[in-house]
Amino acid sequence: MELENLFFAELYDMAEQRTRYTADFKPVLNYRTVRGRRLLMRSAAYDISFYIELETLADGFRLRVCGGTYAEERSICFRLMKLRVLPGHLNTKVNDEGSYLLPLWAGALVDFRVREHCVNLDHIYMEQREWEKFSIMNCFGLLQKDNNWLAIIESGDFNCYARSEYNNNGINSLCAEFTLRDDPSDMISVEDRTVSYHKLPGNANYGDLALKFREYLLAERGASYLKDRMEGNPTLEYSVNAMRVKFFMAGKKPIPDGSSPVDVYATFDECCKMIDDMKAAGIAKAVITLVGWNVGGHDGAYPTHFPAEPRLGGEERLRNLIQHAKNVGYQIVPHDNATDIYRSSPDFDYECVARTKSGEPVAAGVWGGGQSYKACPQVFLRRWGSEFKRIQELGFEGHYYMDAQATVLWRCHSPQHPANEKEFALALSSITEVARGMYGAVSIEGPTTYALPYIDECATIHCPPHGDIPMARAIQPYPVPFFIVAVHGLLAYQQRWVHTYKDTQLGLLREIAFGARPCMEVNYHGGGNGGNYLESLKMVLPAYNICFNELKLQTVPFKSFAEPVPGVYDALYEDGTRLLVNTTEVQYEELAPRSWCKC
C-alpha cells in the first residue's frame, strides 16, 4: 500500500473563507504495534497531523484514523472538515467490466458504462434530505474479476458517506468520506474513523459480499441468529412462524393543528370479525397489530395513547378484541411510536423536544395529530416511560411493533440533553429494549446496522424493482437484495403489504426469491392505509401457504445467493434447500417466465 496516497482532505481557510483541498499527507513517524503499524500522517502545507493504525487481516486490511489525535497547528487559519480514506483504492476505468456496490436501499449496483461526469454521495445511514435512498448499511464494495472488495465502515459510520465519482477523465472512484465537523467552529469528535477492506477471490457476486458482511455483523455488531434467540422465547418462536397483519383502524386527515375528525376504518368489534375470517381462511398463526387504537387514531396524539379511541368502541371493546384474538390463537399487539410527539397532545412537553443548533424544535412531518416534533430519546423514558406498562395492562401479548424507531438520523442540541447522531440513534434503539423485555420480541421500521442488536423483526427491507429516484438517476443504479441476504436468519422481515403491489404476482414472487414473509395491512370499511381485508386475504393466502407451510425457511441463513441474469435469483440455504426464481417475462433455462421451483 502506498503510504503517501491514503487521504484526501477538505479544509476551510478561516482567513479567506473558502474551501481548500489537499492530498499531501505523508508519514513522519512509522512504527510497529501489537496490531500492526502506527503512523503519524502530516500535511506540511497546512500543518495538520493525526495518527493512523494499519492492521493486516486474513482477507485484507484495516485502516483506523485515531480519534483524539488531530493536531491543527495553524487552526487560526485552517480547519479540517472532511477526510476521504483511500480515495484511489477502488479506482476503475470507464467501460471496465464490473460494478460498484452502493449502500442504497438493500444494496445497488452501478456499472462502469460511459456517463457524464458526476459525483454521488450516499450517507451510510438515512438522512432526511435524501430519505428515499433508504440507506441502512455501513458498507460498500467493488465487484470486478479477481479484484472484489467489501469495505466496511466499522466506526465513524454515523458521519460517513460512500463517495462515488464517475468518468473523471475516464476514471471512476469509490471511497469513504468522513465528515469531521459540520462547521469550522465545531470541535472534531474523539471517535475513531475505521474502514476495513476485505478481498474476495475470483468471480465473486453481491451475494458473496453479503455473506462476508454477515460475518462482520455477527462478530462485531452484536447481531445473532434468530434460531438462537428463539430458544426459551415462545413469543419470538411463534411470531417468526406467523404473518404480521396490521389492522388499520382509525386516523385523521393531516393538517397542522391536528383538529381533523377521526375517520373510522374498522371498529374493535369489526376487527373480531376480520380475525374470524382470517382463521377460517387458513391463517393458522398471525401477529395482529392494531394501528390507530389509541386516542385520535393513527399518529393522532403521541405520546398520549389513552383513552382508547372512543369511536372504535372504547377500552371495554378493545379488551374484548384482545381477548378474542388470544382465544383463536393469535398474538395481538399495539402499533406504537416512541419518537414523534405532537403539539396537540395533552402530554406534550416542550422541554423534551429535540432542538436544532439555533434552539428551535426539530420538526418532523404533519400527520394525524398535526405538526409533529422529534422527542429527544435521551429523556423520552424519563417523561413518558410509564406508558409502556399502562399499554401492556390492556392485555396485549406478542411481538411488539414500534413505528419510526430507526429511520433517518437526527441530532439534539438542547443544553439539557444534547445528543449527536450516534447518541440519538442508539438512545432510540435502547428504548426498544423496554418493549422487548416486556413482550419478548420487538419490531421496528428501518433495520439499520446499528439497530440489529436491539430488534427481532423489521417492517420492510426496501429492494425496489428499479431505482428511478431523482437523486440517483445520473448513476442509473440497479437495486439488489444485498442486505437481505446478509440478515436472513438473523432477522424476520417483510417486503411490502400485499395490497400495495402494482403487480401482485410479481411482488409475491420476489418475496419468495428474497426469503421475505408475506404480510398485509387491512381495514374493514375501506380507506386509510390498509387494503380491504377480504381482498387482501385472497391475495396473500397462496404466499402464506408457501412461506409458512411449504418452505419454512425464515430462520435458515443463505449459504449462497446469485443473480445469474437480471431478475433471476438462485438461492441456496444452509439446510440444502435451493430455490430458483424467475421474475422476468422470458424463459430461463427450464424455468418458465414468472415462476419458481424448489431444486
Side-chain angles (χ1 to χ4, degrees), residues 541-595:
L541 195 57
Y544 174 89
N545 288 325
I546 291 171
C547 177
F548 297 107
N549 297 330
E550 183 176 349
L551 295 179
K552 300 180 180 179
L553 295 168
Q554 298 92 285
T555 64
V556 185
F558 288 111
K559 185 175 182 179
S560 67
F561 192 97
E563 191 172 350
V565 298
V568 175
Y569 303 96
D570 188 346
L572 178 64
Y573 289 82
E574 288 189 354
D575 68 352
T577 301
R578 182 188 176 202
L579 301 182
L580 197 61
V581 183
N582 184 359
T583 67
T584 75
E585 304 295 333
V586 297
Q587 184 94 4
Y588 175 76
E589 296 181 350
E590 302 300 317
L591 195 61
R594 290 189 174 225
S595 68

Side-chain angles (χ1 to χ4, degrees), residues 492-509:
Y493 57 90
Q494 288 77 226
Q495 276 291 289
R496 292 179 60 177
W497 310 111
V498 67
H499 77 280
T500 65
Y501 285 125
K502 293 180 180 179
D503 186 325
T504 305
Q505 181 195 27
L506 181 60
L508 296 177
L509 193 60

Side-chain angles (χ1 to χ4, degrees), residues 340-358:
D340 295 323
I341 60 176
Y342 293 88
R343 189 65 179 266
S344 61
S345 167
D347 296 305
F348 179 81
D349 189 337
Y350 194 73
E351 294 304 313
C352 295
V353 175
R355 304 298 174 89
T356 67
K357 198 168 186 177
S358 62

